[in-house]
Amino acid sequence: MDPDEPPAVPSGKFGTPGRPLRRSSFLIGFTGALGVLLAYTLYLGIRNAGGILVLVVIALFLAVGLNPAVVRLHRWGVPHGLAVAGVALTVVLLLCGGVVALVPPIVTQSGQFIDQIPSLLDELRRNPTVNDLVERYDVVERVQGAANAQTIGRALGGVLGGAQLIFGTVFRTLTVLVLTIYFLAYFNKLRSLGYSLVPRTRRERVQLIGDEILAKVGAYMVGALSIAVLAGATTFLFALIVGLPYPFALAVVVAVTDLIPQIGATLGAVIVSLVGFASDLPTGIACAVFFLIYQQVENYLIYPKVMRRSVEVNEVAALLAALLGVALLGVVGALIAIPTVAALQLILREVVLPRQERR
């Protein structure tokens, strides 16, 4: 009896069932082609939705980092909804404070530059060297020839592009904020749903490891925010002492850039030092010396003490992770690099290495 032949079934209304279809090379090739087509379609979908997926990752990262604050408020007797609302309101107020600190200096300095344009032009006209160059190279005619419809169209395109950039940034910020609030509100349900997808025999161990990973991510967020706030407060006091313009705005810039691993502190120091050199040479030198000393203190005293208690990550692994994160996802990759390495180290220590030892 052929094993592929079905058992005898009485002939019914539609006849006796026949033998099952045999696997042919055509059927295998057709199934493989469908699999390749499905994989390529999935790749196109992920690539087209890459911007939204990055926003989702940022929101998840922020939600994991802010969830310990919600849990702490809930332990103090605050209802879960009010705890989420309080944490979200605090984030919104900090964001608005940063905008209020940064926008007025930009608007003020831009207005001052526009007001000084006529005086700058008058000074250029009085300069005999500039007048000689204007006459020699027909600058006026070249400017008039450049001011055609095409140039105006490009300028308008640049203005529209700038407006699109501003509105796009506002839209992305609001999207991240809304997603973060949503993830905070349903954090426990989403976590339980994720654990329920794991087989029941492995669920307890996966839940313990997963909770430890979430705790490390949250501890990293708290530690990074603490270091950033300390850097911003120190910069604010220094700016007041040396008389830098807009000290609060500069403090916000330093605090925000300090959140970026490896290069953020240097970037903030360069920005503040440039502002100091724009004021006068001694102030610029003082800014450079201050940040040189403060970064040594932060790198060798503050950062190791704070991060050693939150995430145990090898320094070489952290540096490589930050570089790879910047190369793959830019600033977002740099932010999530160290918690990702901490999670991988935990999985390697608790899952991979014990399994290798048992073999």
Side-chain angles (χ1 to χ4, degrees):
M1 181 177 179
D2 191 346
D4 292 335
E5 184 176 357
V9 179
S11 177
K13 182 179 179 181
F14 298 102
T16 304
R19 295 180 178 180
L21 295 176
R22 296 181 180 271
R23 294 180 179 179
S24 63
S25 58
F26 174 78
L27 183 60
I28 294 175
F30 183 74
T31 304
L34 285 180
V36 172
L37 180 61
L38 179 62
Y40 183 69
T41 304
L42 182 62
Y43 162 74
L44 291 179
I46 294 176
R47 188 185 67 177
N48 294 333
I52 300 298
L53 292 178
V54 169
L55 298 182
V56 172
V57 170
I58 296 174
L60 277 173
F61 187 72
L62 292 176
V64 172
L66 295 174
N67 185 65
V70 176
V71 174
R72 181 66 60 86
L73 291 176
H74 187 63
R75 289 178 181 174
W76 291 347
V78 181
H80 182 73
L82 291 179
V84 172
V87 172
L89 182 61
T90 303
V91 173
V92 171
L93 291 177
L94 291 175
L95 184 62
C96 293
V99 172
V100 170
L102 292 175
V103 171
I106 296 175
V107 174
T108 303
Q109 294 183 5
S110 300
Q112 292 175 355
F113 177 74
I114 293 174
D115 293 337
Q116 292 177 359
I117 288 178
S119 61
L120 293 175
L121 293 177
D122 290 337
E123 292 179 1
L124 290 176
R125 290 173 183 174
R126 295 171 185 172
N127 193 322
T129 304
V130 174
N131 289 330
D132 182 60
L133 292 175
V134 169
E135 294 177 0
R136 181 179 300 179
Y137 295 102
D138 297 329
V139 175
V140 177
E141 294 181 2
R142 293 178 183 271
V143 171
Q144 291 177 352
N148 51 22
Q150 184 178 3
T151 306
I152 296 174
R154 291 178 181 176
L156 290 177
V159 172
L160 293 177
Q164 184 179 4
L165 176 63
I166 293 174
F167 285 111
T169 303
V170 173
F171 172 75
R172 286 190 289 271
T173 303
L174 292 177
T175 301
V176 170
L177 182 61
V178 172
L179 288 176
T180 302
I181 295 174
Y182 174 80
F183 290 145
L184 278 176
Y186 296 95
F187 189 85
N188 294 329
K189 293 183 179 180
L190 293 174
R191 182 176 58 182
S192 301
L193 177 62
Y195 291 149
S196 64
L197 298 177
V198 180
R200 185 174 57 85
T201 55
R202 300 171 179 258
R203 191 172 301 165
E204 182 180 0
R205 179 169 171 79
V206 171
Q207 184 174 355
L208 292 174
I209 296 177
D211 289 344
E212 183 66 20
I213 291 175
L214 294 177
K216 286 184 177 295
V217 174
Y220 170 77
M221 280 287 295
V222 173
L225 287 175
S226 301
I227 295 173
V229 170
L230 180 61
T234 307
T235 302
F236 179 73
L237 294 176
F238 172 77
L240 288 179
I241 293 173
V242 300
L244 285 176
Y246 310 108
F248 186 68
L250 295 177
V252 172
V253 170
V254 171
V256 172
T257 56
D258 200 71
L259 292 172
I260 305 174
Q262 308 300 328
I263 61 173
T266 304
L267 181 61
V270 169
I271 293 174
V272 178
S273 298
L274 289 177
V275 175
F277 280 111
S279 301
D280 55 72
L281 182 60
T283 303
I285 295 175
C287 291
V289 173
F290 165 75
F291 280 106
L292 181 62
I293 297 174
Y294 179 78
Q295 285 188 12
Q296 302 306 313
V297 174
E298 180 182 295
N299 293 336
Y300 293 101
L301 293 179
I302 301 174
Y303 193 88
K305 281 189 176 181
V306 174
M307 289 304 172
R308 191 179 294 116
R309 297 179 180 179
S310 56
V311 289
E312 299 176 357
V313 178
N314 183 271
E315 294 181 358
V316 177
L319 178 59
L320 293 177
L323 294 176
L324 290 175
V326 171
L328 294 176
L329 296 175
V331 177
V332 178
L335 290 175
I336 66 176
I338 295 179
T340 303
V341 171
L344 292 177
Q345 284 186 352
L346 180 64
I347 295 174
L348 183 67
R349 184 176 67 250
E350 297 295 334
V351 178
V352 179
L353 295 181
R355 181 178 299 176
Q356 295 297 109
E357 290 294 332
R358 289 194 298 266
R359 289 185 177 181

